[in-house]
Amino acid sequence: MIDIIEIPVTIPGRILAVGASYIAAPPTWHVAGYFYQEVGGVALDDALVFPGVGGSPTAVLDASKRRIVLNTIEMHVFTRFATEHRYRFEAMRWIPRLTLVVWEYIGAETDSTEDLLQTVRVDLARVEFKVNQL
């Protein structure tokens, strides 16, 4: 069984290309494992959920979970919860060996929500201008 692989650095980006390969895998094996996005520094009062256990002021939580297909490289877009994120990979228990690669996408990002907000701002400015002319 392969141990959990913690990516040893925090990554500021939210778009990653992730690939996992095991060349000797039978054709019936489709999933390499699961890739988790972690968010740290979350303030919790876990004494309410786990009475009697000492509470911690901050915790690391799983924010997203993505299935990684075996012997492929896929682009994954994660939600931006913080300026930097941590990631980990948990391989399927029956895979004896695995090569994991992770690349961070550092190109330009566009967000359709931000584009729509910008359009609304322009329209609002135009309406204000016309109202002021009346």
Side-chain angles (χ1 to χ4, degrees):
M1 188 168 165
I2 299 172
D3 290 335
I4 294 172
I5 300 170
E6 295 278 345
I7 307 301
V9 296
T10 57
I11 300 174
R14 65 185 189 101
I15 302 175
L16 303 175
V18 181
S21 66
Y22 175 50
I23 301 303
T28 56
W29 292 4
H30 299 286
V31 179
Y34 291 90
F35 198 75
Y36 294 86
Q37 178 191 39
E38 300 174 337
V39 177
V42 179
L44 296 176
D45 184 5
D46 56 358
L48 297 173
V49 179
F50 303 107
V53 177
S56 62
T58 59
V60 175
L61 301 176
D62 291 343
S64 281
K65 173 182 170 181
R66 302 293 167 86
R67 183 177 69 150
I68 304 302
V69 179
L70 190 61
N71 296 328
T72 63
I73 297 173
E74 296 176 313
M75 188 77 73
H76 294 277
V77 180
F78 293 93
T79 305
R80 184 179 306 281
F81 289 106
T83 56
E84 291 190 338
H85 299 92
R86 294 172 38 184
Y87 298 91
R88 78 173 188 278
F89 177 77
E90 295 182 10
M92 302 306 281
R93 68 180 187 279
W94 55 81
I95 298 178
R97 287 183 312 281
L98 193 70
T99 301
L100 177 70
V101 292
V102 178
W103 291 281
E104 177 187 8
Y105 174 77
I106 56 173
E109 282 186 52
T110 60
D111 183 10
S112 60
T113 305
E114 187 62 37
D115 293 342
L116 289 172
L117 286 174
Q118 187 61 30
T119 303
V120 169
R121 286 184 191 117
V122 170
D123 290 343
L124 183 60
R126 189 172 56 230
V127 168
E128 286 177 351
F129 178 73
K130 289 185 178 188
V131 167
N132 289 338
Q133 285 183 335
L134 296 174

